[in-house]
Amino acid sequence: MARAKVNQDINLDEYQDIWVIGEQREGKLHPVTLELIGEGRKLADEAGKKLYVAVPGYDIDEEIAKLLHYHVDGIFYLKHPLLKHFSTEGYAKAISDAILQQKPEIVLVGATSIGRDVGPRIAARIGTGLTADCTRLEIDKEDGKLLMTRPAFGGNLMATIICPRNRPQMSTVRPGVMEKAKSSPEAYGKILELTPELEASDIRVELLEIMKEKKKAVNLTEAEIIVSGGRGVKSPEGFGLIRALAEKLGGEVGSSRAAVDAGWIDASHQVGQTGTTVRPGLYIACGISGAIQHLAGMEESKYIVAINKDAAAPIFKVCDFGIVGDLNEVIPAMIEAIDTKEEVVI
Ligand SMILES: Cc1cc2nc3c(=O)[nH]c(=O)nc-3n(C[C@H](O)[C@H](O)[C@H](O)COP(=O)(O)OP(=O)(O)OC[C@H]3O[C@@H](n4cnc5c(N)ncnc54)[C@H](O)[C@@H]3O)c2cc1C
């Protein structure tokens, strides 16, 4: 959380509207934009405010126009050739200037690598606070302030934070936490182009080349099925079984932090408070106890299946289907059942 000084001269009443900072990479909108629009719409309706999306970029007119189908009141297109690709300084300046000019009351940013980089810089430039990694946002019915809730003290309690004296009230939300806005055939609102005052000298970093990471990207936030392994998997080789089941089901491989810390699997697979937040249709937790920090990242999954040899493991309190047993026996039996398409008795 960035700590801002109290801004004595601020007139809180001048700040209206709710903004979502839209994120695009190589001209394609990041899914977190739709998630924030979904949440922003809910807040705007509760507070009787308008919802706008502000998107920095260039040559993305068609992609921007798609957003009109997500029930926003308008889109601020921060259009400039120097914003075609992300740069910390370019984005921070363009977005901060637009906020200072338009004075939104609430600004929501995705807690992606870009949002985490640029969000606190914007807050510092404007002189307001920022609550990072919120898991719940609400409007206080008494005074209309934004109540920003996030895990604190290692996830052992939830803290609700307010920003009473500075504006806008800013918050980052991780991808996968909020539900995506639904598209409608009708287009709402309008596109308002703002041309940021940017010079090449405002950006001290020169982009020479964009290199895609060679290893296969793990796309946990988009996965419909995730098979996750924990300390109960016992070794890097043990993850072969997790991978086999994930492959069979056409899903991705997830993991607990214990398995990452043990060096059995790359951190990009980690689900939970300090990993990725997921909400797939099916989450299969294998050899995972169900610590609160793990649950924080997967409890919104539609169906949760738990395989654990300890019948008292907390994961059984949140799962829809629980199998008490050794994963080394249960998973091969599941794979066999899928292959033969027969029911299996374990
Ligand atoms: C600030 C903070 C942030 C954290 N962030 C995260 C996070 O993002 N994600 C996360 O996962 N954790 C996170 N943790 C760690 C978390 O508290 C737990 O330590 C961790 O989730 C435990 O992982 P686990 O369930 O794999 O291991 P354990 O808790 O050790 O559980 C292993 C389970 O495997 C079962 N088991 C053993 N052998 C078998 C077998 N053969 N077959 C079936 N079951 C078996 C056991 O009965 C046990 O229930 C965080 C902790 C802190 C303090």
Side-chain angles (χ1 to χ4, degrees):
M1 275 164 279
R3 195 174 281 260
K5 278 191 278 191
V6 175
N7 198 338
Q8 307 282 4
D9 308 324
I10 199 164
N11 175 3
L12 300 188
D13 296 333
E14 282 183 2
Y15 290 76
Q16 297 295 324
D17 307 330
I18 298 183
W19 274 28
V20 161
I21 305 301
E23 196 180 306
Q24 53 88 20
R25 290 177 195 190
E26 295 183 358
K28 291 277 165 249
L29 284 164
H30 189 286
V32 78
T33 305
L34 297 184
E35 293 164 13
L36 294 181
I37 292 175
E39 189 62 15
R41 183 75 264 160
K42 195 192 83 194
L43 296 173
D45 291 345
E46 269 176 44
K49 308 262 175 204
K50 289 194 167 146
L51 174 68
Y52 291 89
V53 196
V55 195
Y58 197 67
D59 268 351
I60 49 167
D61 302 45
E62 272 180 37
E63 202 69 1
I64 293 267
K66 286 184 195 162
L67 289 175
L68 294 174
H69 293 272
Y70 289 90
H71 208 166
V72 294
D73 294 292
I75 300 162
F76 288 108
Y77 180 7
L78 313 184
K79 188 173 178 178
H80 198 289
L82 290 169
L83 298 176
K84 187 169 169 65
H85 296 292
F86 170 73
S87 73
T88 304
E89 290 165 306
Y91 268 43
K93 181 167 190 319
I95 299 169
S96 313
D97 288 352
I99 291 175
L100 288 170
Q101 190 192 81
Q102 300 292 328
K103 296 191 169 42
E105 194 189 3
I106 293 174
V107 174
L108 308 180
V109 182
T112 56
S113 46
I114 288 182
R116 282 170 197 261
D117 181 350
V118 91
R121 288 169 206 268
I122 296 169
R125 275 175 186 243
I126 297 170
T128 190
L130 173 93
T131 307
D133 281 351
C134 292
T135 52
R136 198 169 68 233
L137 297 170
E138 287 162 290
I139 301 290
D140 189 325
K141 291 199 173 48
E142 310 252 300
D143 59 13
K145 288 196 184 72
L146 181 65
L147 304 175
M148 301 174 271
T149 303
R150 53 153 294 148
F153 296 104
N156 290 317
L157 60 85
M158 300 302 279
T160 297
I161 293 160
I162 55 168
C163 176
R165 291 185 292 269
N166 293 318
R167 289 292 178 273
Q169 303 161 90
M170 284 187 71
S171 151
T172 66
V173 180
R174 285 210 225 166
V177 173
M178 304 299 183
E179 235 173 288
K180 274 188 192 151
K182 298 204 169 43
S183 81
S184 76
E186 288 160 71
Y188 294 86
K190 52 184 175 208
I191 299 170
L192 306 143
E193 274 188 27
L194 293 182
T195 310
E197 279 182 30
L198 267 185
E199 305 284 335
S201 57
D202 290 323
I203 303 168
R204 286 170 295 176
V205 174
E206 194 184 344
L207 176 70
L208 299 178
E209 195 186 345
I210 298 176
M211 287 188 291
K212 292 256 161 64
E213 217 176 349
K214 289 240 172 47
K215 67 180 180 190
K216 181 181 171 279
V218 190
N219 195 351
L220 290 174
T221 30
E222 295 286 292
E224 255 310 292
I225 297 176
I226 296 174
V227 184
S228 248
R231 210 194 306 266
V233 170
K234 301 224 167 63
S235 64
E237 296 73 40
F239 266 90
L241 212 46
I242 305 292
R243 271 189 205 98
L245 181 59
E247 238 165 65
K248 223 11 103 191
L249 296 170
E252 286 278 3
V253 173
S255 78
S256 73
R257 178 157 142 186
V260 171
D261 288 349
W264 302 339
I265 188 156
D266 186 76
S268 55
H269 294 267
Q270 186 183 316
V271 171
Q273 189 191 317
T274 41
T276 305
T277 305
V278 299
R279 48 163 80 220
L282 174 63
Y283 188 87
I284 308 182
C286 313
I288 293 178
S289 60
I292 184 164
Q293 296 89 354
H294 188 79
L295 301 183
M298 46 63 80
E299 63 194 344
E300 294 296 327
S301 306
K302 191 158 183 212
Y303 292 106
I304 299 172
V305 175
I307 306 168
N308 197 304
K309 64 180 187 184
D310 175 9
I315 191 81
F316 287 125
K317 293 210 178 87
V318 298
C319 72
D320 300 280
F321 303 98
I323 303 169
V324 180
D326 185 333
L327 63 90
N328 298 301
E329 292 166 19
V330 177
I331 296 177
M334 285 170 88
I335 293 173
E336 196 190 326
I338 296 164
D339 282 342
T340 56
K341 296 201 171 44
E342 274 174 19
E343 273 185 37
V344 70
V345 182
I346 301 160

